[in-house]
Amino acid sequence: MTLLTSDQDTFEQPQDDEVVLSVKNVSKRFCRDLKKSLFYGIQDIAGEVLGLSRSTVSLRKSEFWALNDVSLELRRGEALGLVGANGAGKTTLLKVISGLIKPDYGSVEVNGRVAPLIALGAGFNPILTGRENIYVNMSILGLSKQEIDARFNQVLEFSEIGEAIDAPVQSYSSGMAARLGFASAIHTEPDILLIDEVLAVGDAKFRSKCTRRLTELRRKGTAFIFVSHNSMAIMAVATSAIYLCRGQLLFSGSTETVIRKYEEDLFLDGVEVTQGGMYLKERTESQSSGIDITSLCFQNSQRKTLDFITSGEPAKFSVELKVHRDIENISLRIAVYEVGGESDTVLFLSGIMDEKTFHAHPGKCEIVIDVPYVGFKPGIYTAKINVRQGKHFIFDTIESYKFIVKGDAKMSKCKFYQPRSWHFSEL
């Protein structure tokens, strides 16, 4: 299976169509029970020695598939994003590709040098100095002493650890060790880079420098597989992506499509998302505080209820109310959060702040908020909505109204939608 680049990508790839990595039907199983794992290991080694290795693809007691029949191809200059929940098999796949572990079934063909950035600094000897670890680490990745001599100053400058280079690594912070590991790996100029959540190290300036360096390597033909839980980071770097779930390759294609599918599965698991509106049971006057919210929904310009809203497109947000008596100065207050986000308020709307309050009479009424452009990036959101009088008295509250925002290539690398128009004139 070849993963093609998406039309959203603006990076000019090398013209070389050479396949540098081919993973064919790779499967890897592990055992949850330590004693059984040791027994199975001895059994498998004995089978290989005697030429009796297992030919059937099946699990023994307490075993599970960390990878199950995974195939992919990576060409020179391509950047492949790898997404999936914890335990999906992402790190196992990188370890199989790098040769750290052997697959039980299938094959991996690598054409060139591989630099695995799976656990930066994990291979350093804590007793040795940073200088000594550079030589050990880069020699393991295939460079001669003369080649390391020629690149040593570049590694030191990139890692930004200064005079600490001659101190034992055990005196380094985790960030310093990670920076040195990253600098050592990328200066081997590999054909394939395997990157597993390592760009989270260091400050924003250092992460930006790492991203620029990766872009330079891609221009020279380096291909890489990039694992991250940061969707925006993957969309900014990768040209295509695959989605692993419980060891299986569930979905592949353009980066944005795969990320959207992964996030919907991740955040909607066990969550009921409103499709076409939320409708609530009406209360009697004795059960009510005076005003009840009876329905919530997004609508298009023809007032048809929408199952989801789209970034950059217009929408209306309708809140229907049942009013039990004459009430003045009522308004809505809405706070929106991203499901799976960092609990920050994405949007806050207040009728009082906008000086939009209303006089309601007994019966049913509706408050509609016209949105010329939906500014949210694609994702799943939840809104807390209440109807109130003045600043303090609340009649009714909806704690969680969940809705989906979808988008297209215009929103592939954005955190919000910016309305715009383009003009050209000759001066």
Side-chain angles (χ1 to χ4, degrees), residues 239-258:
T239 56
S240 56
I242 64 174
Y243 171 15
L244 287 181
C245 181
R246 297 179 182 177
Q248 294 185 311
L249 199 161
L250 198 65
F251 201 70
S252 65
S254 69
T255 309
E256 184 189 0
T257 302
V258 173

Side-chain angles (χ1 to χ4, degrees), residues 333-337 345-349 382-386 399:
R333 184 173 180 176
I334 303 171
V336 180
Y337 310 88
T345 304
V346 177
L347 178 67
F348 178 79
L349 299 176
T382 181
K384 181 176 180 179
I385 301 145
N386 60 54
E399 291 291 341

Side-chain angles (χ1 to χ4, degrees), residues 99 119 152 165 222 230 390:
F152 180 84
I165 191 66
T222 297
N230 185 334

Side-chain angles (χ1 to χ4, degrees), residues 34-51:
L34 178 59
K35 290 183 179 180
K36 283 188 172 63
S37 179
L38 293 172
F39 173 74
Y40 293 154
I42 294 171
Q43 191 178 61
D44 292 341
I45 292 171
E48 288 189 10
V49 171
L50 298 175

Side-chain angles (χ1 to χ4, degrees), residues 155-280:
V155 174
L156 180 58
E157 181 182 358
F158 192 94
S159 65
E160 300 178 359
I161 64 172
E163 296 179 357
I165 191 66
D166 290 312
V169 167
Q170 64 185 0
S171 67
Y172 289 8
S173 67
S174 58
M176 290 173 65
R179 292 203 304 271
L180 189 60
F182 186 90
S184 299
I186 63 173
H187 283 89
T188 63
E189 296 185 358
D191 297 289
I192 304 170
L193 265 173
L194 306 178
I195 309 169
D196 188 4
E197 287 288 3
V198 299
L199 294 186
V201 303
D203 54 27
K205 181 180 178 182
F206 184 80
R207 292 197 300 270
S208 177
K209 183 166 70 170
C210 292
T211 303
R212 290 196 302 271
R213 179 60 177 169
L214 291 177
T215 302
E216 293 172 8
L217 289 174
R218 271 192 66 200
R219 289 198 179 100
K220 294 178 181 179
T222 297
F224 56 86
I225 299 178
F226 182 53
V227 176
S228 177
H229 288 289
N230 185 334
S231 300
M232 295 303 295
I234 290 183
M235 287 195 285
V237 173
T239 56
S240 56
I242 64 174
Y243 171 15
L244 287 181
C245 181
R246 297 179 182 177
Q248 294 185 311
L249 199 161
L250 198 65
F251 201 70
S252 65
S254 69
T255 309
E256 184 189 0
T257 302
V258 173
I259 291 292
R260 187 185 307 133
K261 171 64 177 172
Y262 164 61
E263 289 189 338
E264 286 180 2
D265 289 351
L266 180 66
F267 297 134
L268 293 180
D269 185 21
V271 176
E272 183 181 352
V273 176
T274 300
Q275 296 288 305
M278 176 183 283
Y279 303 95
L280 299 103

Side-chain angles (χ1 to χ4, degrees), residues 22 25 29 31 37 39 55 59 65 73 77 79 86 88 98 122 135 172-173 201 204 216 241 279 306 325 354 381 417:
S22 178
N25 309 112
R29 60 176 176 244
C31 185
S37 179
F39 173 74
S55 58
L59 295 175
W65 290 117
E73 280 188 352
N86 291 328
S98 65
Y135 277 87
Y172 289 8
S173 67
V201 303
E216 293 172 8
Y279 303 95
L306 299 172
R325 62 178 186 271
D354 290 349
Y381 296 84
Y417 177 80

Side-chain angles (χ1 to χ4, degrees), residues 48-338:
E48 288 189 10
V49 171
L50 298 175
L52 301 174
S53 58
R54 300 175 69 204
S55 58
T56 58
V57 182
S58 60
L59 295 175
R60 293 167 289 195
K61 187 176 180 180
S62 299
E63 287 187 329
F64 66 96
W65 290 117
L67 293 173
N68 191 358
D69 197 27
V70 174
S71 299
L72 62 92
E73 280 188 352
L74 190 65
R75 301 182 184 276
R76 190 168 297 281
E78 283 187 338
L80 175 65
L82 183 55
V83 301
N86 291 328
K90 305 185 296 297
T91 301
T92 300
L93 178 58
L94 296 191
K95 288 181 177 179
V96 168
I97 293 171
S98 65
L100 295 176
I101 58 177
K102 181 182 176 181
D104 292 310
Y105 304 98
S107 63
V108 177
E109 297 179 15
V110 177
N111 182 17
R113 176 187 293 151
V114 178
L117 304 180
I118 298 174
L120 290 179
F124 285 167
N125 187 322
I127 300 175
L128 299 180
T129 66
R131 183 185 300 273
E132 292 165 336
N133 271 295
I134 288 176
Y135 277 87
V136 172
N137 196 263
M138 296 182 75
S139 63
I140 291 173
L141 293 176
L143 269 66
S144 66
K145 183 179 183 302
Q146 291 74 23
E147 290 175 315
I148 300 173
D149 287 339
R151 304 177 192 187
F152 180 84
N153 288 335
Q154 297 175 16
V155 174
L156 180 58
E157 181 182 358
F158 192 94
S159 65
E160 300 178 359
I161 64 172
E163 296 179 357
I165 191 66
D166 290 312
V169 167
Q170 64 185 0
S171 67
Y172 289 8
S173 67
S174 58
M176 290 173 65
R179 292 203 304 271
L180 189 60
F182 186 90
S184 299
I186 63 173
H187 283 89
T188 63
E189 296 185 358
D191 297 289
I192 304 170
L193 265 173
L194 306 178
I195 309 169
D196 188 4
E197 287 288 3
V198 299
L199 294 186
V201 303
D203 54 27
K205 181 180 178 182
F206 184 80
R207 292 197 300 270
S208 177
K209 183 166 70 170
C210 292
T211 303
R212 290 196 302 271
R213 179 60 177 169
L214 291 177
T215 302
E216 293 172 8
L217 289 174
R218 271 192 66 200
R219 289 198 179 100
K220 294 178 181 179
T222 297
F224 56 86
I225 299 178
F226 182 53
V227 176
S228 177
H229 288 289
N230 185 334
S231 300
M232 295 303 295
I234 290 183
M235 287 195 285
V237 173
T239 56
S240 56
I242 64 174
Y243 171 15
L244 287 181
C245 181
R246 297 179 182 177
Q248 294 185 311
L249 199 161
L250 198 65
F251 201 70
S252 65
S254 69
T255 309
E256 184 189 0
T257 302
V258 173
I259 291 292
R260 187 185 307 133
K261 171 64 177 172
Y262 164 61
E263 289 189 338
E264 286 180 2
D265 289 351
L266 180 66
F267 297 134
L268 293 180
D269 185 21
V271 176
E272 183 181 352
V273 176
T274 300
Q275 296 288 305
M278 176 183 283
Y279 303 95
L280 299 103
K281 185 178 179 180
E282 293 188 10
R283 285 170 279 184
T284 63
E285 186 173 356
S286 61
Q287 297 171 323
S288 172
S289 297
I291 301 178
D292 305 321
I293 299 174
T294 57
S295 73
L296 304 164
C297 68
F298 282 99
Q299 301 172 336
N300 62 15
S301 57
Q302 286 77 43
R303 302 302 304 273
K304 180 181 178 181
T305 299
L306 299 172
D307 289 341
F308 58 86
I309 53 178
T310 305
S311 296
E313 296 295 325
K316 297 176 184 291
F317 184 58
S318 167
V319 180
E320 287 192 1
L321 307 171
K322 182 178 180 180
V323 183
H324 294 279
R325 62 178 186 271
D326 250 33
I327 303 175
E328 295 183 346
N329 197 29
I330 69 166
S331 65
L332 291 180
R333 184 173 180 176
I334 303 171
V336 180
Y337 310 88
E338 186 175 7

